[in-house]
Each structure stands twice: as C-alpha cells, then as structure tokens.
Amino acid sequence: GQQLNQSPQSMFIQEGEDVSMNCTSSSIFNTWLWYKQDPGEGPVLLIALYKAGELTSNGRLTAQFGITRKDSFLNISASIPSDVGIYFCAAPDSNYQLIWGAGTKLIIKP
Amino acid sequence: EPEVTQTPSHQVTQMGQEVILRCVPISNHLYFYWYRQILGQKVEFLVSFYNNEISEKSEIFDDQFSVERPDGSNFTLKIRSTKLEDSAMYFCASSWDRVDYEQYFGPGTRLTVT
C-alpha cells in the first residue's frame, strides 16, 4: 500500500537552530499536511499544502509541496523549547483516507 | 476557540469487554473521524462518518468496531469485544469539509485492555 517515509526519525537540536525534515513517497499525492503532536495530546494541524511547488509559512514554520508531488519538506527556523514534540506528515489517498508518516521526534539538547 | 473533546481520557477494560469511547466534535463540522495510535507508532485511520453513515473505513475497522452519532453532538466508537491488541490511543477528529483535510483532533482516549 501507499506509505509515507519521514526522515530523520529523531533530531537533537540546540535552541535557536534551524530544523529541516522531510517526507517522501513512491506515490503521488495532491495534498500534503504537517501535524505536530505534543505528549499525551492529539495531533494539531500546522500547515496544509494543496498545490505542487507551493511554499507556505506559519510563523517560524515553512513547508513546501514538492514539484514531483511525491515529497514535502518542513522547516522550523530559530527553534525554541516549545517546538519539541513529534512532527507527522500526512496525505490523503484516493479514498480520502489520511495516510501518516511515522513521525520525526524533535528533542532540544540540554 | 472551538475544540474537539473526548471522554474518558483513560479507559481500562478487561479483554472481551465492550467499551464505548465518546467524542464531541466541533459543532458546525460535518465530517467525523476516528484514528488509532498504538504507543510509539504512527497514527492509523479507522473510519470516517458523514450524514449519519460511514463514508470510508480501513481494514482495521472490522466487525468488532462500530460508530454512531446518537444525538446532535456526540460521536461514539464502540469496540464490542476488546482484545489486548486494541490497547492504544484513540483520537476523534472533525472537519467542515472532506476535501480540505483540515481535521481538528481531540486529546485522545487511552484504552488499556488487560
């Protein structure tokens, strides 16, 4: 079946650093979504992308919909402690079911 | 700001028992969803619901699962005879539209089957 591959699996970062993560697939998708999940809570939608090549920002977050429609990237600039959590990419299949990546866990170095 | 709520936050049940997980979606939303997340794993789609019927369901959503909107506000997931492997976080979500995929998630119910 269709799968989304997220990398890296986890990241240790210093406060103030920029962060990049990506999500790839062998399948083409028409929508890419990025969610963040804090411990013990439900995922929260960060950015939704609907058009190939689209670059969308939400504060310090910027996401891009890859031109091939097989990938998407999320960047976080000047990370702060509250950025820790798990970031998931998701995309709907032809039956409108959301397929999810395995997540990228962001950890701030002490 | 409107939000999706779920009760209970944690449910412990014995294998073979029936459980009902409850959700109150955002009031003007039309589409409702249940997802499952086994500890440390990815989120998995279970079912979507629109206009008082199931729109789509995944392979996970077998005959032991059912959903219902018993009144104008609640949306429930019933697991008829729980198994150990049903232990997971169950998230309810709702959206105004299906095609914009801007789904809002509740805080989840942690189900522990012993």
Side-chain angles (χ1 to χ4, degrees), chain A residues 59-80:
Chain A
R60 292 177 297 103
L61 277 60
T62 302
Q64 182 157 28
F65 190 147
I67 288 288
T68 64
R69 293 195 282 152
K70 293 183 179 181
D71 55 15
S72 178
F73 305 87
L74 177 69
N75 297 311
I76 305 172
S77 62
S79 56
I80 60 178

Side-chain angles (χ1 to χ4, degrees), chain B:
Chain B
E1 186 175 319
E3 58 182 17
V4 177
T5 59
Q6 288 186 244
T7 54
S9 56
H10 190 189
Q11 173 93 46
V12 181
T13 190
Q14 287 191 324
M15 198 165 54
Q17 295 296 304
E18 174 183 286
V19 294
I20 298 176
L21 310 183
R22 301 180 193 280
C23 168
V24 179
I26 293 173
S27 62
N28 64 345
H29 283 184
L30 301 178
Y31 292 86
F32 314 115
Y33 312 85
W34 282 102
Y35 291 86
R36 179 180 82 175
Q37 186 180 33
I38 295 171
L39 187 63
Q41 297 187 23
K42 63 174 71 176
V43 178
E44 299 173 291
F45 170 81
L46 292 178
V47 66
S48 61
F49 191 86
Y50 170 73
N51 200 26
N52 283 320
E53 58 183 28
I54 291 174
S55 306
E56 289 89 32
K57 59 183 181 178
S58 70
E59 291 173 356
I60 303 167
F61 194 88
D62 61 22
D63 290 344
Q64 69 160 342
F65 291 94
S66 62
V67 289
E68 198 178 29
R69 189 152 161 83
D71 52 44
S73 58
N74 290 284
F75 178 51
T76 61
L77 174 70
K78 183 193 287 186
I79 310 175
R80 248 178 284 283
S81 176
T82 50
K83 304 192 282 271
L84 292 175
E85 54 265 37
D86 293 328
S87 295
M89 283 290 287
Y90 288 81
F91 293 106
C92 172
S94 69
S95 65
W96 164 248
D97 196 350
R98 183 169 67 168
V99 294
D100 69 6
Y101 301 105
E102 294 196 18
Q103 298 176 19
Y104 292 82
F105 282 72
T109 293
R110 178 170 296 285
L111 178 66
T112 303
V113 182
T114 61

Side-chain angles (χ1 to χ4, degrees), chain A:
Chain A
Q2 292 172 309
Q3 280 192 317
L4 301 184
N5 303 304
Q6 269 189 263
S7 64
Q9 194 173 24
S10 60
M11 299 181 73
F12 286 85
I13 57 165
Q14 295 271 6
E15 186 176 346
E17 281 182 350
D18 294 344
V19 172
S20 290
M21 60 189 79
N22 68 67
C23 192
T24 62
S25 178
S26 57
S27 304
I28 288 174
F29 291 98
N30 294 319
T31 300
W32 286 88
L33 307 164
W34 285 94
Y35 283 86
K36 183 191 177 207
Q37 185 178 29
D38 290 326
E41 297 185 17
V44 174
L45 181 65
L46 299 173
I47 294 179
L49 302 160
Y50 299 105
K51 195 174 169 184
E54 181 182 353
L55 188 72
T56 298
S57 292
N58 178 5
R60 292 177 297 103
L61 277 60
T62 302
Q64 182 157 28
F65 190 147
I67 288 288
T68 64
R69 293 195 282 152
K70 293 183 179 181
D71 55 15
S72 178
F73 305 87
L74 177 69
N75 297 311
I76 305 172
S77 62
S79 56
I80 60 178
S82 61
D83 289 335
V84 301
I86 303 177
Y87 292 80
F88 290 99
C89 63
D93 67 12
S94 55
N95 293 320
Y96 302 98
Q97 296 179 22
L98 279 186
I99 300 168
W100 295 71
T104 292
K105 189 171 185 178
L106 205 61
I107 305 159
I108 297 274
K109 288 181 198 169

